[in-house]
Amino acid sequence: MKRYLYTDPRTRKEVTLKQNADGSAYVEQRQEFGDLLKINKQMANDYNPGSMLGNTQRHVQHVAEIPNVVYNHLLEKFGPMRENPKAWKQWLNDSENRAFRTGGGHI
């Protein structure tokens, strides 16, 4: 059995309640983020490696754009970034997750 709980057209997120044959149920979250990956690729192509040099007022650099469902999964897996920065950095630097990066180099 599959029952739609809600759909968010802005984030393209769909949440459904599914029931297994044994009677147990689980919530499934799906999100389409193909357009986000195209934007990330464009931002990575536009990245200028020396853009932080000489600009003393730019203290923050945009390094990744992660869809909600992936971010929530990472929160469950690693916990908040401030509590486990090593695992988050390792995940972002992994070549399999390159599509979520918006700049060059390693974090």
Side-chain angles (χ1 to χ4, degrees):
M1 180 181 95
K2 182 177 179 179
R3 180 178 168 201
Y4 288 97
L5 297 178
Y6 70 90
T7 303
D8 185 350
R10 188 177 62 82
T11 60
R12 298 181 183 175
K13 182 178 173 181
E14 180 181 279
V15 179
T16 56
L17 178 66
K18 291 190 173 184
Q19 191 169 16
N20 295 324
D22 65 354
S24 62
Y26 63 96
V27 175
E28 180 181 76
Q29 297 182 35
R30 298 177 67 76
Q31 185 176 17
E32 293 292 326
F33 48 84
D35 293 339
L36 178 65
L37 297 180
K38 290 177 188 174
I39 292 169
N40 285 355
K41 185 173 179 100
Q42 184 61 44
M43 289 174 74
N45 290 340
D46 294 343
Y47 174 70
N48 183 4
S51 63
M52 291 287 284
L53 299 175
N55 186 352
T56 60
Q57 298 304 309
R58 189 172 176 197
H59 302 290
V60 177
Q61 178 141 353
H62 190 158
V63 296
E65 214 32 74
I66 302 172
N68 295 339
V69 293
V70 176
Y71 179 75
N72 289 334
H73 172 73
L74 293 173
L75 276 176
E76 288 177 14
K77 187 175 180 181
F78 301 135
M81 188 169 180
R82 69 181 173 276
E83 293 175 10
N84 195 359
K86 187 175 180 179
W88 281 85
K89 288 177 184 180
Q90 183 178 1
W91 186 88
L92 282 169
N93 288 325
D94 188 352
S95 61
E96 289 183 11
N97 305 318
R98 179 80 180 134
F100 300 113
R101 296 286 306 274
T102 58
H106 288 281
I107 297 175

